[in-house]
Amino acid sequence: MGSKSTISQEALNIIKKTTDEAVKKVVQAIMKANREFDAAQRNYFKETERLLYSLPALRLKVAQDEEDLKNGQIILKQRSKDVVTLSGAGGNHHDPENDYIERRKASMERTKREIQRIERALETIQDDEYYDIIPLKYWDQLPPAEIAEALHCDERTFYRHKNRLVNKLKVVLFGADAL
């Protein structure tokens, strides 16, 4: 009598259960990746809006820093007398006030570059019929109903064009990552 090699029902059940669990984990991983991908896409839109809202404050900060530098008003805040400054091994003495001024200047330069980046992006949409949505919403912070009225359109039209313009800006600001 020849012996038949068969897999027991118990072994088949274990294989099926293990396979089902593996498939379930893969599906969950794919769904999570898709959610993260979708979230990343939305983040570029929100980051673009955050930059637009921040532009007036960034401009003001640079103007204040330039005025302070011009008038010599950037002063190191007084440190606690409990703080002890040790010189380096070579006896190098750092000028804390000069270091502070240099850090403020570097910060101001980074802020200027960010302003220029935002302004260059805005130039790409400045001829758009609905460009005024940008300053009215993000800088004047008018409510959608007022903006729609000012542009002689309904709120749905306002939202559609605002989203379209922000989507254009996000690609200019963040490149292919924002697609």
Side-chain angles (χ1 to χ4, degrees):
M1 197 176 211
S3 71
K4 268 189 170 176
S5 174
T6 60
I7 299 176
S8 72
Q9 189 60 40
E10 184 179 324
L12 287 173
N13 289 341
I14 292 171
I15 292 170
K16 182 179 182 336
K17 183 179 177 185
T18 305
T19 305
D20 288 347
E21 287 174 6
V23 168
K24 185 177 179 180
K25 286 181 181 179
V26 168
V27 168
Q28 287 173 340
I30 291 170
M31 289 173 65
K32 181 181 177 190
N34 284 339
R35 281 193 305 274
E36 289 172 356
F37 178 77
D38 290 342
Q41 294 296 80
R42 286 190 302 272
N43 286 344
Y44 287 115
F45 188 93
K46 289 190 181 300
E47 179 70 9
T48 301
E49 286 193 308
R50 190 181 64 76
L51 290 172
L52 291 171
Y53 279 123
S54 300
L55 186 58
L58 293 172
R59 287 176 175 153
L60 179 62
K61 176 65 173 143
V62 167
Q64 288 172 340
D65 284 350
E66 286 176 337
E67 185 69 22
D68 288 350
L69 278 171
K70 179 180 161 191
N71 295 330
Q73 293 178 347
I74 295 181
I75 301 168
L76 181 64
K77 293 182 177 113
Q78 196 66 22
R79 281 193 267 171
S80 165
K81 294 188 190 306
D82 294 338
V83 175
V84 177
T85 305
L86 302 174
S87 63
N92 294 338
H93 294 280
H94 291 287
D95 178 2
E97 188 167 333
N98 191 47
D99 290 349
Y100 175 75
I101 291 169
E102 290 306 312
R103 285 193 310 274
R104 284 276 306 265
K105 285 179 180 178
S107 174
M108 184 176 64
E109 289 305 314
R110 286 190 303 273
T111 304
K112 282 181 177 180
R113 283 192 302 274
E114 189 66 7
I115 290 169
Q116 289 171 343
R117 189 171 82 92
I118 297 166
E119 288 174 342
R120 278 193 307 270
L122 288 166
E123 287 172 6
T124 67
I125 64 166
Q126 70 185 5
D127 294 331
D128 191 282
E129 176 183 0
Y130 287 93
Y131 174 83
D132 288 341
I133 287 173
I134 300 300
L136 293 171
K137 167 135 179 74
Y138 297 102
W139 307 327
D140 299 339
Q141 296 189 12
L142 295 179
E146 284 185 38
I147 298 170
E149 184 179 328
L151 297 175
H152 310 292
C153 65
D154 61 29
E155 281 189 54
R156 286 180 57 211
T157 302
F158 155 76
Y159 281 111
R160 186 173 66 251
H161 289 290
K162 176 199 64 93
N163 291 343
R164 179 181 58 79
L165 291 170
V166 172
N167 280 321
K168 281 185 177 182
L169 290 172
K170 80 175 184 181
V171 173
V172 175
L173 289 166
F174 300 104
D177 291 343
L179 292 177

